Amino acid sequence: MQDRIRATAPPPRPPAPTTRQTRHALTMLAATTPGRRRVIQAAAEEYLSQIDRDRLPLGYDMPITDDHYNRVDAYRMRGGRTFARMLGIACQPSDPQLPDTARAVLAAITAPVDRLTERAATTGQPAAVALLHILGATDTAVAA
């Protein structure tokens, strides 16, 4: 008989299916300027910080335990509205698909940086990878 209760991590989230909302957001993201991308990225990170319960809701000293109300509060108080409007997403504040859309948009924004970091680590020459990126080298030139 086990006397202690072991703390276990929550089960990993299965990959979310690509929804129409996510496809629309990624299409709109491709047409944005770098300045707007930075604002979208900041709003998405702020929104997800409360959704993932990394930060407390504004003005509260305890997290909101109900997911529905937590999404509503994060939408209104933590940049969810800004994120949705900048990408032309029409949704309700409690939309359960918006957090997955925000994660997909963040992944799309950080993908080029992640690829460069990975190449720098695998080649062992981060300066050369950075120089090739600045010079506008293609993926095949960097891989060589």
Side-chain angles (χ1 to χ4, degrees), residues 87-100:
L87 291 173
I89 299 170
C91 65
Q92 297 294 319
S94 63
D95 186 355
Q97 295 175 352
L98 192 61
D100 291 330

Side-chain angles (χ1 to χ4, degrees), residues 5 7 13 18 20-22 30 32 41 46 48 50 61 64 73 75 81-82 95 97 99 102 112 127:
I5 298 174
R13 299 181 82 181
T18 304
R20 183 181 330 172
Q21 182 183 81
T22 302
T32 60
Q41 180 179 10
E46 180 79 9
L48 288 173
Q50 181 172 331
D61 58 352
I64 300 174
D73 188 74
Y75 181 86
R81 178 181 291 135
T82 302
D95 186 355
Q97 295 175 352

